[in-house]
Amino acid sequence: MKITFVGAAHEVTGSCTLLEVGGLNYLVDCGMEQGRDEFENVPLPVLPSMIEAVFVTHAHIDHSGLLPKLFKDGFKGKIYSTEITYNLCEIMLRDAAHIQETEAEWQNRKAERNGTAKIEPLYTMGDAIGSLSLFYPCKYDRVYPVSENISIRFTDIGHLLGSACIEVWMSEGGERKKIVFSGDVGNVNQPLINDPQAIEETDYLVIESTYGDRLHDGVKDQNATVRSLAEHISRAFDKGGSVIIPSFAVGRTQEMLYAIRMIKEQGILEKYGDFPVYVDSPMAVEATQIFLQCDTVCFDVETRALIERGINPIWFEGLTLSVTADDSKLINMDPRPKVIISASGMCEAGRIRHHLKHNLWRRENTILFVGYQAVNSLGRRLLDGARTVRLFGEDVAVKAKIASLHGTSGHADMEGLLSWLEAFKKRPHTVFVNHGDEGACENLRGLIEQRFGCKAIAPYSGTVYDLLVDAPLFETDGIKIKSSKDAQKSQRADRFYNDLMREVGNLYDFCTDSRGLSNKELSAMTEQIKVIIRKWKGRK
């Protein structure tokens, strides 16, 4: 009875863990890494054809995105998930396959011109469809026997519609053990979906740590989030600009629609009437339809109350759903101040990159981030103050205001994770901390040991642990993915330059908002700025 940590070990994306019970192999999640890798991951230690089943916590690509590749490489077992996770994977895995095929086609056109070797996509649409045929949709709160050695149960974890933590009961050699995989633990008081549900007991726990070293800004309050979103929209509209929201197609997009409906319903931005809102993501459009069609038991009390009154919680006047490429192109031809919601949330792919190319260089616009941005992703670079980014082979100046909407995280923060663990009636004797960057993993590990007195481990990829005797069989040290000294030096220089340019942007915003100060104050500010320019001019 062993557990091997493969992906999302001291990293936030690429969740993948191997269980070996009674001579059979099971995977928990099979996710794709997003953003640049920080640590090397070991390959799967068994052939995909030797895996009996996969248990999927939720539909996000960093938990499900390599299922088509697993199928391509020979996996033909069952894939267990909640019913809604299966419905969402139907659209997300097809979309991921389309991206893989499109990118390979683009690379191969370049290869043909350059006379270099062509590449194959990571997986194809056929592989995605093949993996979807293996799904076994499950209901919440029901125990499912998987084999004579394994039973599982899905419990609502409040991160995304259909998301779950997975309880796994295991038996081997007359011994019985239980392990719980938290998946991504949701934040409390999110719109639309339920709060994370408590678990009674377990011997072992694998817990995520995305925000294992941080607290969310302010109290999680839907009304405060709505007011903050309205302020961002108002500031941009007052300057004649638009608000561009990079958003995950599944979950976060629907939350933004819920918030904008409230803004319009309450008349918070009445002077702008039914201002236009575009959702520009075919996958987001399909996901929105799934939200509207699913069993209302998956929604929180407030959302169920709206539905019972005949109110669509994520629809309003002025909303346009853009599906085709032509629809998407027309959005940036609309001269009106508007809100554009487009995927992907980290700006690594999708139509959002086209909207950034059209809008990043305009000072009147706001790029508003509403979710976690992985290290080295385009979204993180923008938040960290990058003043130019490369899009479609061109350098694009970053002159738009870059901002974050606080209170929108779908992940529990440090205290939220600890509170969820504290709710166990019988707490685990051993906790494995994963799915977080190095600082978050180690911080949460230490807090768990300190607060609960149980053994806590933050394993690196390749670590193998014996669950029968509660001891490691093989421990690994994390192997950082190396970069050259020149690259490191360049990264440091970029960081300092981006810090400078971020402050230049803040200064510009401050000056823009300074109208109304006295002439004396404006004159003093002007002279101080001139002194700085004279001091540093000619130094380069």
Side-chain angles (χ1 to χ4, degrees), residues 460-473:
Y460 287 98
S461 181
T463 293
V464 183
Y465 202 87
D466 191 321
L467 300 175
L468 283 178
V469 300
D470 191 13
L473 291 172

Side-chain angles (χ1 to χ4, degrees), residues 362-374:
R362 300 176 185 269
R363 294 186 186 277
E364 65 271 22
N365 291 335
T366 294
I367 312 301
L368 184 61
F369 288 95
V370 295
Y372 181 81
Q373 302 300 308

Side-chain angles (χ1 to χ4, degrees), residues 311-331:
I311 297 173
N312 187 328
I314 54 177
W315 194 269
F316 45 81
E317 290 297 322
L319 176 62
T320 300
L321 304 180
S322 300
V323 177
T324 69
D326 287 339
D327 292 338
S328 180
K329 292 172 184 175
L330 288 172
I331 294 172

